[in-house]
mmCIF file of all heavy atoms in Angstrom:
data_model
loop_
_atom_site.group_PDB
_atom_site.id
_atom_site.type_symbol
_atom_site.label_atom_id
_atom_site.label_comp_id
_atom_site.label_asym_id
_atom_site.label_seq_id
_atom_site.Cartn_x
_atom_site.Cartn_y
_atom_site.Cartn_z
ATOM 1 N N THR A 110 -6.912 -12.486 8.474
ATOM 2 C CA THR A 110 -8.073 -13.274 8.873
ATOM 3 C C THR A 110 -7.853 -14.742 8.516
ATOM 4 O O THR A 110 -7.067 -15.071 7.621
ATOM 5 C CB THR A 110 -9.352 -12.776 8.173
ATOM 6 O OG1 THR A 110 -9.200 -12.907 6.759
ATOM 7 C CG2 THR A 110 -9.648 -11.330 8.527
ATOM 8 N N HIS A 111 -8.566 -15.596 9.215
ATOM 9 C CA HIS A 111 -8.515 -17.036 8.929
ATOM 10 C C HIS A 111 -9.603 -17.346 7.910
ATOM 11 O O HIS A 111 -10.737 -16.872 8.017
ATOM 12 C CB HIS A 111 -8.720 -17.855 10.198
ATOM 13 C CG HIS A 111 -8.345 -19.289 10.015
ATOM 14 N ND1 HIS A 111 -9.210 -20.217 9.489
ATOM 15 C CD2 HIS A 111 -7.180 -19.937 10.250
ATOM 16 C CE1 HIS A 111 -8.615 -21.387 9.426
ATOM 17 N NE2 HIS A 111 -7.368 -21.248 9.885
ATOM 18 N N SER A 112 -9.261 -18.146 6.921
ATOM 19 C CA SER A 112 -10.181 -18.423 5.814
ATOM 20 C C SER A 112 -11.482 -19.076 6.252
ATOM 21 O O SER A 112 -12.543 -18.789 5.694
ATOM 22 C CB SER A 112 -9.489 -19.293 4.763
ATOM 23 O OG SER A 112 -8.358 -18.623 4.265
ATOM 24 N N SER A 113 -11.438 -19.959 7.240
ATOM 25 C CA SER A 113 -12.662 -20.665 7.628
ATOM 26 C C SER A 113 -13.511 -19.858 8.607
ATOM 27 O O SER A 113 -14.741 -19.863 8.507
ATOM 28 C CB SER A 113 -12.341 -22.042 8.205
ATOM 29 O OG SER A 113 -11.576 -21.914 9.382
ATOM 30 N N THR A 114 -12.916 -19.145 9.550
ATOM 31 C CA THR A 114 -13.702 -18.397 10.537
ATOM 32 C C THR A 114 -14.040 -16.994 10.065
ATOM 33 O O THR A 114 -14.976 -16.384 10.591
ATOM 34 C CB THR A 114 -12.943 -18.273 11.868
ATOM 35 O OG1 THR A 114 -11.781 -17.456 11.669
ATOM 36 C CG2 THR A 114 -12.562 -19.642 12.420
ATOM 37 N N ARG A 115 -13.265 -16.456 9.113
ATOM 38 C CA ARG A 115 -13.436 -15.098 8.600
ATOM 39 C C ARG A 115 -13.228 -14.054 9.698
ATOM 40 O O ARG A 115 -13.694 -12.939 9.617
ATOM 41 C CB ARG A 115 -14.815 -14.907 7.952
ATOM 42 C CG ARG A 115 -15.216 -15.979 6.960
ATOM 43 C CD ARG A 115 -14.360 -16.012 5.760
ATOM 44 N NE ARG A 115 -14.724 -14.938 4.827
ATOM 45 C CZ ARG A 115 -14.111 -14.729 3.695
ATOM 46 N NH1 ARG A 115 -13.120 -15.500 3.342
ATOM 47 N NH2 ARG A 115 -14.475 -13.758 2.914
ATOM 48 N N ARG A 116 -12.520 -14.429 10.737
ATOM 49 C CA ARG A 116 -12.209 -13.536 11.860
ATOM 50 C C ARG A 116 -10.705 -13.289 11.902
ATOM 51 O O ARG A 116 -9.935 -14.012 11.301
ATOM 52 C CB ARG A 116 -12.680 -14.155 13.171
ATOM 53 C CG ARG A 116 -14.175 -14.398 13.207
ATOM 54 C CD ARG A 116 -14.672 -14.257 14.625
ATOM 55 N NE ARG A 116 -16.108 -14.449 14.696
ATOM 56 C CZ ARG A 116 -16.980 -13.459 14.649
ATOM 57 N NH1 ARG A 116 -16.575 -12.220 14.508
ATOM 58 N NH2 ARG A 116 -18.273 -13.709 14.735
ATOM 59 N N SER A 117 -10.329 -12.265 12.655
ATOM 60 C CA SER A 117 -8.902 -11.959 12.759
ATOM 61 C C SER A 117 -8.146 -13.172 13.290
ATOM 62 O O SER A 117 -8.675 -13.968 14.075
ATOM 63 C CB SER A 117 -8.677 -10.744 13.652
ATOM 64 O OG SER A 117 -9.049 -11.017 14.985
ATOM 65 N N HIS A 118 -6.913 -13.290 12.825
ATOM 66 C CA HIS A 118 -6.077 -14.442 13.161
ATOM 67 C C HIS A 118 -4.666 -13.926 13.440
ATOM 68 O O HIS A 118 -4.134 -13.144 12.654
ATOM 69 C CB HIS A 118 -6.071 -15.428 11.985
ATOM 70 C CG HIS A 118 -5.370 -16.709 12.276
ATOM 71 N ND1 HIS A 118 -5.939 -17.708 13.019
ATOM 72 C CD2 HIS A 118 -4.138 -17.145 11.930
ATOM 73 C CE1 HIS A 118 -5.095 -18.723 13.104
ATOM 74 N NE2 HIS A 118 -3.993 -18.397 12.460
ATOM 75 N N PRO A 119 -4.055 -14.344 14.546
ATOM 76 C CA PRO A 119 -2.736 -13.822 14.893
ATOM 77 C C PRO A 119 -1.698 -14.073 13.788
ATOM 78 O O PRO A 119 -1.694 -15.123 13.141
ATOM 79 C CB PRO A 119 -2.363 -14.593 16.161
ATOM 80 C CG PRO A 119 -3.650 -15.087 16.715
ATOM 81 C CD PRO A 119 -4.556 -15.307 15.535
ATOM 82 N N LEU A 120 -0.834 -13.090 13.619
ATOM 83 C CA LEU A 120 0.291 -13.261 12.692
ATOM 84 C C LEU A 120 1.249 -14.297 13.263
ATOM 85 O O LEU A 120 1.481 -14.336 14.474
ATOM 86 C CB LEU A 120 1.046 -11.935 12.538
ATOM 87 C CG LEU A 120 0.283 -10.773 11.925
ATOM 88 C CD1 LEU A 120 1.069 -9.477 12.112
ATOM 89 C CD2 LEU A 120 0.011 -11.023 10.456
ATOM 90 N N SER A 121 1.796 -15.118 12.403
ATOM 91 C CA SER A 121 2.843 -16.031 12.860
ATOM 92 C C SER A 121 4.079 -15.202 13.190
ATOM 93 O O SER A 121 4.230 -14.062 12.720
ATOM 94 C CB SER A 121 3.172 -17.055 11.772
ATOM 95 O OG SER A 121 3.809 -16.406 10.679
ATOM 96 N N GLU A 122 4.972 -15.757 13.973
ATOM 97 C CA GLU A 122 6.200 -15.030 14.302
ATOM 98 C C GLU A 122 7.012 -14.773 13.037
ATOM 99 O O GLU A 122 7.625 -13.713 12.895
ATOM 100 C CB GLU A 122 7.040 -15.793 15.341
ATOM 101 C CG GLU A 122 8.239 -15.012 15.840
ATOM 102 C CD GLU A 122 7.915 -13.580 16.297
ATOM 103 O OE1 GLU A 122 6.934 -13.382 17.028
ATOM 104 O OE2 GLU A 122 8.655 -12.643 15.900
ATOM 105 N N ALA A 123 6.995 -15.713 12.106
ATOM 106 C CA ALA A 123 7.728 -15.515 10.844
ATOM 107 C C ALA A 123 7.143 -14.342 10.058
ATOM 108 O O ALA A 123 7.889 -13.512 9.517
ATOM 109 C CB ALA A 123 7.684 -16.794 10.006
ATOM 110 N N ALA A 124 5.813 -14.244 10.007
ATOM 111 C CA ALA A 124 5.176 -13.137 9.289
ATOM 112 C C ALA A 124 5.457 -11.820 9.995
ATOM 113 O O ALA A 124 5.820 -10.821 9.351
ATOM 114 C CB ALA A 124 3.674 -13.368 9.168
ATOM 115 N N ALA A 125 5.307 -11.785 11.317
ATOM 116 C CA ALA A 125 5.573 -10.553 12.068
ATOM 117 C C ALA A 125 7.013 -10.100 11.873
ATOM 118 O O ALA A 125 7.282 -8.910 11.678
ATOM 119 C CB ALA A 125 5.266 -10.768 13.549
ATOM 120 N N SER A 126 7.933 -11.038 11.875
ATOM 121 C CA SER A 126 9.346 -10.713 11.650
ATOM 122 C C SER A 126 9.568 -10.151 10.248
ATOM 123 O O SER A 126 10.316 -9.185 10.064
ATOM 124 C CB SER A 126 10.201 -11.967 11.876
ATOM 125 O OG SER A 126 11.546 -11.704 11.595
ATOM 126 N N ARG A 127 8.931 -10.763 9.266
ATOM 127 C CA ARG A 127 9.049 -10.287 7.881
ATOM 128 C C ARG A 127 8.543 -8.844 7.764
ATOM 129 O O ARG A 127 9.168 -8.012 7.116
ATOM 130 C CB ARG A 127 8.264 -11.228 6.958
ATOM 131 C CG ARG A 127 8.436 -10.927 5.479
ATOM 132 C CD ARG A 127 7.770 -11.968 4.598
ATOM 133 N NE ARG A 127 6.358 -11.648 4.421
ATOM 134 C CZ ARG A 127 5.347 -12.402 4.797
ATOM 135 N NH1 ARG A 127 5.548 -13.561 5.367
ATOM 136 N NH2 ARG A 127 4.104 -12.031 4.588
ATOM 137 N N PHE A 128 7.437 -8.548 8.423
ATOM 138 C CA PHE A 128 6.876 -7.199 8.364
ATOM 139 C C PHE A 128 7.733 -6.200 9.135
ATOM 140 O O PHE A 128 7.877 -5.054 8.712
ATOM 141 C CB PHE A 128 5.441 -7.187 8.874
ATOM 142 C CG PHE A 128 4.507 -8.003 8.030
ATOM 143 C CD1 PHE A 128 3.536 -8.784 8.613
ATOM 144 C CD2 PHE A 128 4.596 -7.997 6.638
ATOM 145 C CE1 PHE A 128 2.665 -9.545 7.845
ATOM 146 C CE2 PHE A 128 3.741 -8.749 5.860
ATOM 147 C CZ PHE A 128 2.775 -9.524 6.460
ATOM 148 N N ARG A 129 8.301 -6.621 10.254
ATOM 149 C CA ARG A 129 9.165 -5.712 11.028
ATOM 150 C C ARG A 129 10.395 -5.281 10.229
ATOM 151 O O ARG A 129 10.908 -4.186 10.431
ATOM 152 C CB ARG A 129 9.587 -6.369 12.343
ATOM 153 C CG ARG A 129 8.498 -6.368 13.379
ATOM 154 C CD ARG A 129 8.993 -6.851 14.741
ATOM 155 N NE ARG A 129 7.858 -7.233 15.544
ATOM 156 C CZ ARG A 129 7.464 -8.498 15.748
ATOM 157 N NH1 ARG A 129 8.132 -9.511 15.260
ATOM 158 N NH2 ARG A 129 6.397 -8.740 16.478
ATOM 159 N N LYS A 130 10.842 -6.106 9.311
ATOM 160 C CA LYS A 130 11.984 -5.743 8.468
ATOM 161 C C LYS A 130 11.663 -4.586 7.544
ATOM 162 O O LYS A 130 12.554 -3.949 6.997
ATOM 163 C CB LYS A 130 12.463 -6.951 7.663
ATOM 164 C CG LYS A 130 13.113 -8.014 8.522
ATOM 165 C CD LYS A 130 13.510 -9.224 7.702
ATOM 166 C CE LYS A 130 14.083 -10.277 8.628
ATOM 167 N NZ LYS A 130 14.293 -11.558 7.947
#
Side-chain angles (χ1 to χ4, degrees):
T110 61
H111 194 276
S112 300
S113 63
T114 66
R115 311 295 282 179
R116 299 211 179 266
S117 66
H118 186 78
L120 297 168
S121 69
E122 187 50 46
S126 177
R127 186 174 85 242
F128 296 140
R129 283 188 198 101
K130 291 177 183 171

